[in-house]
PDB file of all heavy atoms in Angstrom:
ATOM      1  N   ARG A 321     113.531  91.895 101.458  1.00 98.00           N
ATOM      2  CA  ARG A 321     114.438  91.154 102.339  1.00 98.00           C
ATOM      3  C   ARG A 321     115.685  90.712 101.578  1.00 98.00           C
ATOM      4  O   ARG A 321     116.810  90.814 102.081  1.00 98.00           O
ATOM      5  CB  ARG A 321     113.735  89.940 102.943  1.00 98.00           C
ATOM      6  CG  ARG A 321     112.727  90.277 104.008  1.00 98.00           C
ATOM      7  CD  ARG A 321     112.443  89.075 104.921  1.00 98.00           C
ATOM      8  NE  ARG A 321     112.013  87.895 104.192  1.00 98.00           N
ATOM      9  CZ  ARG A 321     110.749  87.634 103.848  1.00 98.00           C
ATOM     10  NH1 ARG A 321     109.795  88.501 104.155  1.00 98.00           N
ATOM     11  NH2 ARG A 321     110.435  86.525 103.205  1.00 98.00           N
ATOM     12  N   LEU A 322     115.476  90.220 100.362  1.00 98.00           N
ATOM     13  CA  LEU A 322     116.616  89.747  99.576  1.00 98.00           C
ATOM     14  C   LEU A 322     117.518  90.900  99.149  1.00 98.00           C
ATOM     15  O   LEU A 322     118.749  90.788  99.175  1.00 98.00           O
ATOM     16  CB  LEU A 322     116.112  88.979  98.356  1.00 98.00           C
ATOM     17  CG  LEU A 322     115.358  87.681  98.665  1.00 98.00           C
ATOM     18  CD1 LEU A 322     114.785  87.079  97.386  1.00 98.00           C
ATOM     19  CD2 LEU A 322     116.259  86.668  99.365  1.00 98.00           C
ATOM     20  N   MET A 323     116.914  92.004  98.758  1.00 98.00           N
ATOM     21  CA  MET A 323     117.726  93.140  98.336  1.00 98.00           C
ATOM     22  C   MET A 323     118.413  93.801  99.530  1.00 98.00           C
ATOM     23  O   MET A 323     119.523  94.321  99.399  1.00 98.00           O
ATOM     24  CB  MET A 323     116.862  94.155  97.587  1.00 98.00           C
ATOM     25  CG  MET A 323     116.313  93.649  96.252  1.00 98.00           C
ATOM     26  SD  MET A 323     117.564  92.944  95.139  1.00 98.00           S
ATOM     27  CE  MET A 323     118.654  94.332  94.904  1.00 98.00           C
ATOM     28  N   ARG A 324     117.774  93.757 100.695  1.00 96.00           N
ATOM     29  CA  ARG A 324     118.435  94.292 101.897  1.00 96.00           C
ATOM     30  C   ARG A 324     119.648  93.432 102.251  1.00 96.00           C
ATOM     31  O   ARG A 324     120.692  93.952 102.683  1.00 96.00           O
ATOM     32  CB  ARG A 324     117.450  94.341 103.058  1.00 96.00           C
ATOM     33  CG  ARG A 324     118.052  94.899 104.361  1.00 96.00           C
ATOM     34  CD  ARG A 324     118.605  96.309 104.158  1.00 96.00           C
ATOM     35  NE  ARG A 324     119.289  96.779 105.341  1.00 96.00           N
ATOM     36  CZ  ARG A 324     118.714  97.509 106.293  1.00 96.00           C
ATOM     37  NH1 ARG A 324     117.420  97.813 106.186  1.00 96.00           N
ATOM     38  NH2 ARG A 324     119.404  97.938 107.332  1.00 96.00           N
ATOM     39  N   ALA A 325     119.526  92.121 102.069  1.00 96.00           N
ATOM     40  CA  ALA A 325     120.671  91.246 102.321  1.00 96.00           C
ATOM     41  C   ALA A 325     121.820  91.607 101.390  1.00 96.00           C
ATOM     42  O   ALA A 325     122.995  91.622 101.795  1.00 96.00           O
ATOM     43  CB  ALA A 325     120.264  89.785 102.138  1.00 96.00           C
ATOM     44  N   TRP A 326     121.506  91.885 100.123  1.00 96.00           N
ATOM     45  CA  TRP A 326     122.552  92.319  99.187  1.00 96.00           C
ATOM     46  C   TRP A 326     123.150  93.647  99.641  1.00 96.00           C
ATOM     47  O   TRP A 326     124.372  93.820  99.643  1.00 96.00           O
ATOM     48  CB  TRP A 326     121.958  92.474  97.785  1.00 96.00           C
ATOM     49  CG  TRP A 326     122.924  93.081  96.806  1.00 96.00           C
ATOM     50  CD1 TRP A 326     123.857  92.428  96.071  1.00 96.00           C
ATOM     51  CD2 TRP A 326     123.056  94.474  96.477  1.00 96.00           C
ATOM     52  NE1 TRP A 326     124.568  93.319  95.294  1.00 96.00           N
ATOM     53  CE2 TRP A 326     124.099  94.584  95.530  1.00 96.00           C
ATOM     54  CE3 TRP A 326     122.404  95.635  96.884  1.00 96.00           C
ATOM     55  CZ2 TRP A 326     124.494  95.808  94.992  1.00 96.00           C
ATOM     56  CZ3 TRP A 326     122.794  96.858  96.360  1.00 96.00           C
ATOM     57  CH2 TRP A 326     123.829  96.934  95.414  1.00 96.00           C
ATOM     58  N   GLN A 327     122.291  94.589 100.021  1.00 94.00           N
ATOM     59  CA  GLN A 327     122.747  95.920 100.427  1.00 94.00           C
ATOM     60  C   GLN A 327     123.679  95.829 101.632  1.00 94.00           C
ATOM     61  O   GLN A 327     124.737  96.468 101.664  1.00 94.00           O
ATOM     62  CB  GLN A 327     121.534  96.792 100.761  1.00 94.00           C
ATOM     63  CG  GLN A 327     121.846  98.260 100.975  1.00 94.00           C
ATOM     64  CD  GLN A 327     120.584  99.089 101.107  1.00 94.00           C
ATOM     65  OE1 GLN A 327     119.502  98.576 101.371  1.00 94.00           O
ATOM     66  NE2 GLN A 327     120.698 100.387 100.907  1.00 94.00           N
ATOM     67  N   ASP A 328     123.308  95.011 102.613  1.00 93.00           N
ATOM     68  CA  ASP A 328     124.156  94.851 103.794  1.00 93.00           C
ATOM     69  C   ASP A 328     125.481  94.192 103.427  1.00 93.00           C
ATOM     70  O   ASP A 328     126.541  94.591 103.918  1.00 93.00           O
ATOM     71  CB  ASP A 328     123.430  94.006 104.840  1.00 93.00           C
ATOM     72  CG  ASP A 328     122.230  94.726 105.445  1.00 93.00           C
ATOM     73  OD1 ASP A 328     122.136  95.963 105.285  1.00 93.00           O
ATOM     74  OD2 ASP A 328     121.385  94.054 106.062  1.00 93.00           O
ATOM     75  N   GLY A 329     125.408  93.200 102.531  1.00 92.00           N
ATOM     76  CA  GLY A 329     126.628  92.521 102.116  1.00 92.00           C
ATOM     77  C   GLY A 329     127.575  93.406 101.335  1.00 92.00           C
ATOM     78  O   GLY A 329     128.799  93.238 101.394  1.00 92.00           O
ATOM     79  N   GLN A 330     127.018  94.346 100.607  1.00 91.00           N
ATOM     80  CA  GLN A 330     127.826  95.269  99.806  1.00 91.00           C
ATOM     81  C   GLN A 330     128.313  96.462 100.611  1.00 91.00           C
ATOM     82  O   GLN A 330     129.122  97.245 100.123  1.00 91.00           O
ATOM     83  CB  GLN A 330     127.003  95.772  98.616  1.00 91.00           C
ATOM     84  CG  GLN A 330     126.654  94.708  97.602  1.00 91.00           C
ATOM     85  CD  GLN A 330     127.822  94.342  96.730  1.00 91.00           C
ATOM     86  OE1 GLN A 330     128.519  95.204  96.205  1.00 91.00           O
ATOM     87  NE2 GLN A 330     128.072  93.054  96.577  1.00 91.00           N
ATOM     88  N   GLY A 331     127.774  96.627 101.802  1.00 87.00           N
ATOM     89  CA  GLY A 331     128.144  97.791 102.605  1.00 87.00           C
ATOM     90  C   GLY A 331     127.616  99.093 102.039  1.00 87.00           C
ATOM     91  O   GLY A 331     128.252 100.149 102.197  1.00 87.00           O
ATOM     92  N   VAL A 332     126.465  99.037 101.390  1.00 84.00           N
ATOM     93  CA  VAL A 332     125.874 100.246 100.814  1.00 84.00           C
ATOM     94  C   VAL A 332     125.219 101.054 101.922  1.00 84.00           C
ATOM     95  O   VAL A 332     124.352 100.547 102.653  1.00 84.00           O
ATOM     96  CB  VAL A 332     124.835  99.882  99.732  1.00 84.00           C
ATOM     97  CG1 VAL A 332     124.158 101.137  99.204  1.00 84.00           C
ATOM     98  CG2 VAL A 332     125.517  99.123  98.597  1.00 84.00           C
ATOM     99  N   ALA A 333     125.603 102.288 102.057  1.00 81.00           N
ATOM    100  CA  ALA A 333     125.110 103.130 103.138  1.00 81.00           C
ATOM    101  C   ALA A 333     123.689 103.604 102.871  1.00 81.00           C
ATOM    102  O   ALA A 333     123.182 103.530 101.747  1.00 81.00           O
ATOM    103  CB  ALA A 333     126.035 104.334 103.317  1.00 81.00           C
ATOM    104  N   ALA A 334     123.053 104.105 103.900  1.00 79.00           N
ATOM    105  CA  ALA A 334     121.720 104.701 103.752  1.00 79.00           C
ATOM    106  C   ALA A 334     121.827 105.979 102.930  1.00 79.00           C
ATOM    107  O   ALA A 334     122.884 106.621 102.879  1.00 79.00           O
ATOM    108  CB  ALA A 334     121.140 105.000 105.127  1.00 79.00           C
TER     109      ALA A 334
END
Side-chain angles (χ1 to χ4, degrees):
R321 287 201 305 274
L322 295 174
M323 294 309 300
R324 180 58 186 266
W326 173 86
Q327 190 172 18
D328 291 344
Q330 294 284 313
V332 176

